[in-house]
Amino acid sequence: MPLSAFLEPHILHQQLAHMACIGTDMLSPGRTRLALTDADKLGRDQLVAWLRELDLTIHIDAVGNIYGILEPDPLNSHLPVFLIGSHIDTVIEAGAYDGCYGVLAGIAVLRALHAAGTTPPRPVGVVAFSNEEGVRFQPDMLGSLAVAGGLSVDVVHALQATDSASYGTELARIGYAGTLIPGSIPIHEYIELHIEQGPILATLGTPIGAVHTLQGISWQRVTITGTANHAGTTPLQLRHDPAVVAAQVIADLRAYAGATESTLATVGTFTLAPNAINVIPHTATFTVDLRDPDESALLHAEAHLQSLLQQYAISEGVSVHCDVLARFSPVIFAAELVHTIQQVAAMQGIACRSMVSGAGHDAQMIARIAPSAMIFVPSREGISHSPAEHTDPAHLEAGLRVLCDVVASRLGIAI
Ligand code: GLV
Ligand code: MN
Ligand code: MN
């Protein structure tokens, strides 16, 4: 009998619905559980309660990553853990599935292992990584990056939030500053189940994606400094207006991306100071998110952004400064894991497409230290990072079944 026969998908649906209510309020749509806020703490508390129900060994590391581990026979407890995971922090006004689906599906697989009465041949764990979204603290995928050795605990604790709080202080405040050094739990293999967050699977009507590549990501904050002056008295030729430069760069960047094969460019935040109707601003600040599955194309896009900034800054007489907030090269996932996902989907009679991930995920960080791969399920109309995010319950269950039997297959469990 396959391990997936022991799944109880209704519990996954209940837990997703429960988590979806944490971080809601009457004033805004969706839910907002930005990393290390009170809402994130409530989500974490609920997650830990669910991990305790399954008698898992719980570890919290020094950047706040939460692990629940199903222990094997004591003789095998020293072996690296087979890890399933994702995140439970969200963007602002988020959907219900981004991240939570992977974590709660991981719990469902551990529950199936319990129900089957199987003692796994090595530890099997679920993890919720801290600050995957990167909205409040940059870089994104921070918890998994620390596990992969890409950031030290000291550097993480010193990071400043967009609201100025420090990571270390906020982590302690919500009670999730553990003592374990990130990365000290050795990982055998890592699988992340996630909604696609794009339109490919939904458009094709294909229920499962086996993700072989994750595109590169470049985040920068651009600050353009000009001269504040009176909107009614300053002739156009005497202005040093950073808003105009920002607008020119943003429009040209969109045109540039449109002319490339695969580059995406997004300006998701924009502020002017002093932000008054009759004042030429002295500062424009905006963020740029560039992505491409090809590293050389991503480098080209970054260089193009710089040349646009220089060109328009010179013609308007303003100065420009860029801060790199995150920079991750494209990642190729472990071929043997991608193959297992395809095999399991075929055995279950579910159509599966191999594909590239457009979104960033914790799996791209863990891939630095352990074989990793991802399973995608469709997102209705490709919508995500929005309260309208939706995946059909049947697709959620198909993804869970594939995940479950992939785990069983990788562990060599026969029931
Ligand atoms: C993570 O959600 C991303 O920005 O891709
Ligand atoms: Mn996610
Ligand atoms: Mn996300």
Side-chain angles (χ1 to χ4, degrees), residues 87 91 98 132-133 140-141 197 217 219 289 291 358-361 385:
H87 61 97
V91 294
D98 178 358
E132 190 273 350
E133 293 293 5
D140 51 349
M141 284 84 70
Q197 307 183 272
I217 302 175
W219 281 4
D289 175 319
R291 306 203 190 198
H361 295 290
H385 282 186

Side-chain angles (χ1 to χ4, degrees), residues 43-62:
R44 287 164 175 266
D45 291 350
Q46 180 57 72
L47 175 66
V48 169
W50 286 330
L51 298 176
R52 286 200 201 290
E53 278 174 15
L54 287 180
D55 264 343
L56 303 173
T57 306
I58 294 173
H59 299 283
I60 316 282
D61 73 18

